[in-house]
Amino acid sequence: MADDETAGSFGPSKLGTKEYWDAAYEREKTNFEDHADVGEIWFGEDCMERIVDWFREGLLVQTDSRILDIGCGNGALLVEMAKEGFTSLTGMDYSQPSVDLAIAISNSENVNIAYQRADILNEEDPIFSADRFDICTDKGTYDAISLSPDDVVQKRQTYVNHVHRLLKDAGLLVITSCNWTKEELLEHFSSGFESVDEIRHPTFKFGGKVGTTTTSIVFRKKDSG
Ligand SMILES: C[S@@+](CC[C@H](N)C(=O)[O-])C[C@H]1O[C@@H](n2cnc3c(N)ncnc32)[C@H](O)[C@@H]1O
């Protein structure tokens, strides 16, 4: 199947390149230093709050669960989780300026979060030899990888395999996407994961059809990936 048949209704974009994110977070770092602006909250504050609410409910999570945010950006989601009392938080992003910004914001909020520069697609990065995680979160990173200008289908499969590797047995992936539907995510992750929950976002109605602009699925790692 050709890439464009499996890439959904969107094609490659600058959002799928590291150069874009490095330049974006360099700008956001300067803005934060100049006037304490933390920058973009991807998919909005309400979306982030609904994810944090799901963690706060605590049905599948403990406050000391080992949590990794993949493609953490400015670290805003982790900062909110730290304020809710989660104690074992790590953020990773392949963009060094993003990691620098996230550290500066966390320090200013006086919260304890570990950050490291790492590429989820590069298994040589030290994060892959660290202790495994109970939970991985992703808000917009699988989407960004899905916009890569080359080898996009291969990169998506590598992403699924690598998240599987980073998680403990029966570990969870809480993934939020605005590019893929629930059905598409279920299909993409079916080789290594089963869906155990969904975080509901507002729906819209258009032309008699009901849809959502944002999808959050909670996957549990299956034995083999
Ligand atoms: C849409 S932004 C979302 C940032 C953050 N999760 C949020 O919700 O604000 C996508 C993020 O994924 C990061 N990213 C993209 N590809 C990555 C990769 N291969 N490994 C690690 N991070 C990546 C980008 O640097 C960027 O921070």
Side-chain angles (χ1 to χ4, degrees):
M1 202 181 284
D3 268 10
D4 55 359
E5 287 177 67
T6 52
S9 57
F10 48 94
S13 144
K14 58 189 180 173
L15 272 70
T17 68
K18 185 168 175 298
E19 293 71 29
Y20 172 84
W21 293 110
D22 283 347
Y25 289 117
E26 279 296 355
R27 273 194 312 275
E28 295 202 351
K29 244 171 60 177
T30 306
N31 289 341
F32 182 69
E33 282 156 12
D34 286 352
H35 44 275
D37 175 1
V38 300
E40 177 115 28
I41 308 286
W42 284 87
F43 311 159
E45 299 245 1
D46 290 349
C47 170
M48 181 170 75
E49 282 311 316
R50 282 188 287 274
I51 297 169
V52 174
D53 284 349
W54 182 87
F55 275 87
R56 193 190 295 121
E57 276 172 23
L59 297 178
L60 300 175
V61 191
Q62 272 130 28
T63 49
D64 63 350
S65 293
R66 225 173 113 68
I67 299 170
L68 172 70
D69 190 23
I70 300 168
C72 61
N74 61 11
L77 177 63
L78 291 168
V79 168
E80 289 307 305
M81 288 171 60
K83 289 179 179 171
E84 288 298 327
F86 291 93
T87 56
S88 183
L89 300 170
T90 302
M92 65 174 272
D93 202 292
Y94 73 168
S95 168
Q96 185 62 50
S98 134
V99 171
D100 296 340
L101 173 65
I103 291 171
I105 293 173
S106 292
N107 287 344
S108 76
E109 295 281 348
N110 217 8
V111 290
N112 187 17
I113 299 166
Y115 289 103
Q116 58 179 282
R117 201 213 65 77
D119 182 344
I120 186 67
L121 301 180
N122 180 6
E123 62 188 345
E124 301 299 317
D125 273 337
I127 193 93
F128 287 96
S129 28
D131 288 345
R132 292 182 182 214
F133 293 88
D134 297 298
I135 304 180
C136 288
T137 53
D138 172 333
K139 181 160 67 69
T141 304
Y142 182 68
D143 281 358
I145 288 169
S146 302
L147 295 168
S148 296
D150 50 40
D151 299 331
V152 69
V153 174
Q154 178 60 47
K155 282 180 179 167
R156 283 185 1 225
Q157 190 56 48
T158 301
Y159 175 97
V160 175
N161 296 344
H162 285 185
V163 175
H164 195 273
R165 258 184 72 175
L166 288 170
L167 285 167
K168 294 180 186 172
D169 291 349
L172 303 177
L173 167 65
V174 181
I175 184 166
T176 300
S177 169
C178 72
N179 282 347
W180 298 108
T181 63
K182 175 181 176 180
E183 290 67 32
E184 287 167 333
L185 289 175
L186 294 180
E187 188 201 324
H188 295 186
F189 286 79
S190 62
S191 59
F193 295 87
E194 61 189 344
S195 145
V196 290
D197 205 355
E198 180 177 355
I199 301 170
R200 304 266 170 198
H201 298 286
T203 54
F204 65 87
K205 207 168 177 186
F206 184 75
K209 288 194 172 170
V210 176
T212 52
T213 51
T214 312
T215 305
S216 293
I217 305 289
V218 182
F219 285 108
R220 179 182 286 134
K221 173 177 169 170
K222 292 194 287 195
D223 284 346
S224 57

